[in-house]
Amino acid sequence: MPPASSASSASSRPAPSGLWRDADFRRLWLGQTASQLGEHASLLVLPLLAVLVLDATAGQLGVLRAVGQAPILLLALLAGAWVDRWHTRTTMVLTDAGRALALGAVALACLFGRLGMPGLLVLAFAVGALSVFFDVAYQASLVRLVARDHLLRGNSALEGSRSAAQIGGPALGGALVSLLSAPIAVASGALFFALSFLSIRRIRRAEAVPKPPDHPPRVRHRIHEGLRFVARDPVLRAVCLASAAFQFSFAAMMTVYLLFLPRELHLSGTVVGLALAAAGPGALLGAVLAARLPGRFGHGPVLVCAAALGDGVFLWVPALHGSSATTVPALLVVGFVSGFGGQLVNVTIMAVRQAVTPAGMQGRAAATITFAGMGLTPLGSLCGGFLAGEWGLRTGLLVAAAGMMLSPVAMVLSPLARLGRELPAPRGGPTGG
């Protein structure tokens, strides 16, 4: 399908009072919710499958997570250039279908006893690659579907759905792995991606895709425009630095965490899923309050405080010992607080990024920030595997959790901390494809 021509912003977006009355926004919300549910279930199921079924070592688990995250580093910038010229609906539909097929292949291979680490690595890479395109597309789609004054509410709704997925996904995945079978657990993710496919393909509104110039620049030039725009903007540059510090350390921490819970604390797959799912209710609360707190206290103070709270709570986890009566409740509290703080940061950061970015740069700005931040997650996962193998699970977890505190420090030292109650105005930049 060729790039779409520009549509009128006024005619293609819902009236300011009718965000939830708009059928296309509801379809986007439902599709994104199902997609996130499948993604969060898979993020737990695939590592647990490797640990519990394939008996993966710490190093192998680090490699598996790194391979699944490598497409962020390899493909994020290309995805941004693609999304700025094409329909986000088409991109999301195709990536949903691809992820459903990939997870279906994992389930079948596991069911017939043909799954090994090499095959799991290939399919994890495929799912990760398709997720990169979906995530960039859904972030850009909101800007094309709703008015500017509804960005914070729209992001709050979409991030709230991600919170619901954080509640249901890990709990469902962990329970299915423990109580039923690995193929069923993996197949559940494929079913959710199929549901997302069916919902998003029903979106009917023509997108306000920026009209490409008569002689569109090469993909390399469009990628360079996105990199230059983000690098020259002090707010977006600070977002990149804070995101990079967090994502690297969080990837390392999660690699150790997924080993620490079953092997050091001797928790079952179901309990591990519940511990991770506890972030969901906190994130849901964070998504709701993100629509109100920045307007009352300022975007900067909310960002710094939420990041310090959500990241710092993991410093308490290495102090836990065994599956005692206090261990599981403590993990649930850690998950809740981390989800609350993290979601406040996510919603606020996304609204700030969308507000300062012109329409024709939305996909590339999102992809550039994803590349700068999430692109470090494969290295972080490998680092986590190294820390767990060389320093032990408890020490490795403490070091990785301490590294997460670099993110709020980066915010304090940047213009992000000085953002007020109003969203910043859009910056100048290229608007074409």
Side-chain angles (χ1 to χ4, degrees):
M1 182 184 298
S5 25
S6 175
S8 168
S9 173
S11 63
S12 65
R13 296 179 180 180
S17 61
L19 181 63
W20 279 106
R21 297 177 185 175
D22 182 72
D24 283 334
F25 176 77
R26 293 198 304 270
R27 288 164 184 151
L28 173 65
W29 177 85
L30 176 60
Q32 189 256 5
T33 301
S35 178
Q36 293 292 328
L37 190 57
E39 184 172 343
H40 281 284
S42 302
L43 287 176
L44 176 65
V45 167
L46 294 182
L48 275 184
L49 187 148
V51 172
L52 301 177
V53 177
L54 302 181
D55 198 26
T57 65
Q60 288 175 324
L61 183 62
V63 170
L64 174 64
R65 286 176 49 80
V67 166
Q69 296 156 346
I72 301 170
L73 182 63
L74 300 175
L75 300 175
L77 296 178
L78 177 62
W82 174 283
V83 166
D84 275 338
R85 292 190 61 201
W86 294 72
H87 288 288
T88 57
R89 171 187 171 276
T90 303
T91 303
M92 290 187 286
V93 164
L94 291 176
T95 54
D96 275 333
R99 289 185 291 181
L101 291 174
L103 287 182
V106 174
L108 288 175
C110 189
L111 181 65
F112 291 103
R114 307 292 294 178
L115 184 67
M117 280 302 297
L120 188 59
L121 291 172
V122 170
L123 291 168
F125 181 88
V127 172
L130 293 168
S131 294
V132 168
F133 280 85
F134 182 93
D135 290 343
V136 172
Y138 102 75
Q139 292 181 49
S141 68
L142 184 67
V143 181
R144 299 177 186 178
L145 286 175
V146 307
R148 171 184 164 85
D149 58 352
H150 272 173
L151 284 179
L152 197 59
R153 288 180 57 200
N155 278 311
S156 178
L158 291 178
E159 291 300 304
S161 73
R162 191 161 71 93
S163 305
Q166 286 179 318
I167 298 172
L172 176 64
L176 290 176
V177 168
S178 296
L179 303 178
L180 298 177
S181 67
I184 293 178
V186 176
S188 67
L191 292 176
F192 286 117
F193 289 132
L195 175 61
S196 179
F197 168 89
L198 294 173
S199 179
I200 292 175
R201 72 187 296 268
R202 296 179 61 235
I203 293 176
R204 294 290 178 260
R205 180 177 293 111
E207 296 181 26
V209 182
K211 184 179 180 180
D214 294 334
H215 301 286
R218 296 178 180 272
V219 171
R220 182 172 58 184
H221 178 70
R222 297 201 305 273
I223 290 174
H224 182 260
E225 280 185 337
L227 288 168
R228 184 173 55 190
F229 175 76
V230 172
R232 289 181 175 178
D233 187 280
V235 170
L236 296 182
R237 191 166 62 242
V239 171
C240 284
L241 292 175
S243 177
F246 170 79
Q247 295 296 348
F248 177 87
S249 301
F250 182 74
M253 190 278 298
M254 280 303 297
T255 299
V256 186
Y257 196 60
L258 288 172
L259 291 165
F260 183 80
L261 297 186
R263 293 185 177 174
E264 189 75 20
L265 300 185
H266 310 292
L267 302 179
S268 68
T270 301
V271 177
V272 172
L274 290 174
L276 296 180
L284 187 60
L285 178 61
V288 171
L289 294 181
R292 300 177 176 86
L293 294 182
R296 181 173 182 180
F297 299 105
H299 290 75
V302 168
L303 281 172
V304 172
C305 293
L309 179 67
D311 298 348
V313 71
F314 280 104
L315 291 170
W316 295 97
V317 177
L320 299 176
H321 290 272
S323 54
S324 66
T326 60
T327 296
V328 174
L331 289 173
L332 296 178
V333 171
V334 168
F336 182 90
V337 173
S338 69
F340 172 75
Q343 196 72 311
L344 269 177
V345 173
N346 289 341
V347 175
T348 308
I349 281 286
M350 194 175 296
V352 169
R353 191 265 298 164
Q354 291 171 340
V356 303
T357 304
M361 291 291 294
Q362 287 289 339
R364 280 170 287 177
T368 299
I369 292 172
T370 298
F371 172 80
M374 296 290 291
L376 292 179
T377 55
L379 300 178
S381 293
L382 292 174
C383 179
F386 172 81
L387 290 175
E390 298 296 323
W391 292 7
L393 295 177
R394 200 172 298 275
T395 302
L397 186 61
L398 179 61
V399 171
M404 292 170 61
M405 295 304 295
L406 293 173
S407 180
V409 170
M411 291 182 185
V412 169
L413 300 176
S414 76
L416 285 174
R418 299 189 291 275
L419 292 177
R421 298 178 180 178
E422 299 293 330
L423 285 170
R427 320 290 188 181
T431 59

